[in-house]
Amino acid sequence: MIKNNSDLDLSVIIPFYKEIDIIANAISSAQNQVGIEKLTFEIVIGNDSQYSTEQILNVIPPSSLSITRIATNAGARGAGNARNVAIEASRGSLLAFLDADDIWQLDKISSQIEYIRAGCNFLVGAYQYSGSSSVIYPPENIQSTIDFLKNSTIGTSTVLVTKELIGEDRFINLPSSQDTEFWARLAGKNNYQYGCTRNICAIYSPSLRTSNKLREFIRFKNVVNLFDLNFYDEMIILVRYMIRGVYNHFIKRKISPWIFRSET
């Protein structure tokens, strides 16, 4: 059991593709975390871009250079492999994931550490999109792959996971939704212990995300198909996904946020 922050070492995993103008914001939001002074800390960028290591280092805040390392993806391009090379290069027993176009709230890590000390090994939190007052909350409980797929409101930039839980598993380099597949696969492990906070952990940038909801649905369905579920479970998962999408992206944006304080 982890007793205090001095027992912890954290690697922040950032896949990088083309966000050269804004990655400094993500890095600063990680470096400026509060309440983690005794925690050993590093940032590992999985470089999946055409930019050189030197070009990336040139845009990183000077105060972050000593804790930042860059791992180059020499395999097939994709966010999955970019995360994988960063995981391989990481030294931490805890891995926190942050996309290069998102930012963390200052208490993101400190609000999740108590759950690690309590025995959880997969932590998530709430998130919202920049410019929106609507908050997307994670499910209260997940105990299996099917649970995860039925309630897949997990924001990857809110995930904190132990390296022990990940073990030898890695992201599949899918064209999209490789994070959804990986988190669902981890949820099927016998030692999976889920925890969540209702604190807003991350602010998402909408700039690099598709507005085509049909395309998003097809991508999600392709992930569900990888798990060889029975027809009943698959239909329940897909129907819940559609209802949740309508609620989060249409109804919730039209009605004042104070009406919707319940979990999505």
Side-chain angles (χ1 to χ4, degrees), residues 217-248:
F217 174 78
I218 292 172
R219 289 172 176 175
F220 179 73
K221 185 178 185 301
N222 289 340
V223 167
V224 172
N225 289 343
L226 295 174
F227 290 96
D228 194 27
L229 305 175
N230 63 56
F231 178 78
Y232 173 79
D233 284 334
E234 183 173 331
M235 287 301 100
I236 291 295
I237 288 167
L238 295 178
V239 169
R240 287 174 67 104
Y241 179 88
M242 288 187 288
I243 293 173
R244 191 166 53 247
V246 170
Y247 173 71
N248 282 330

Side-chain angles (χ1 to χ4, degrees), residues 246-259:
V246 170
Y247 173 71
N248 282 330
H249 297 287
F250 297 102
I251 297 176
K252 202 172 183 181
R253 290 182 179 182
K254 297 296 183 181
I255 303 178
S256 298
W258 65 266
I259 297 177

Side-chain angles (χ1 to χ4, degrees), residues 86-101:
I87 291 171
E88 294 294 337
S90 67
R91 300 165 180 156
S93 59
L94 298 176
L95 303 179
F97 291 82
L98 175 61
D99 285 351
D101 57 329

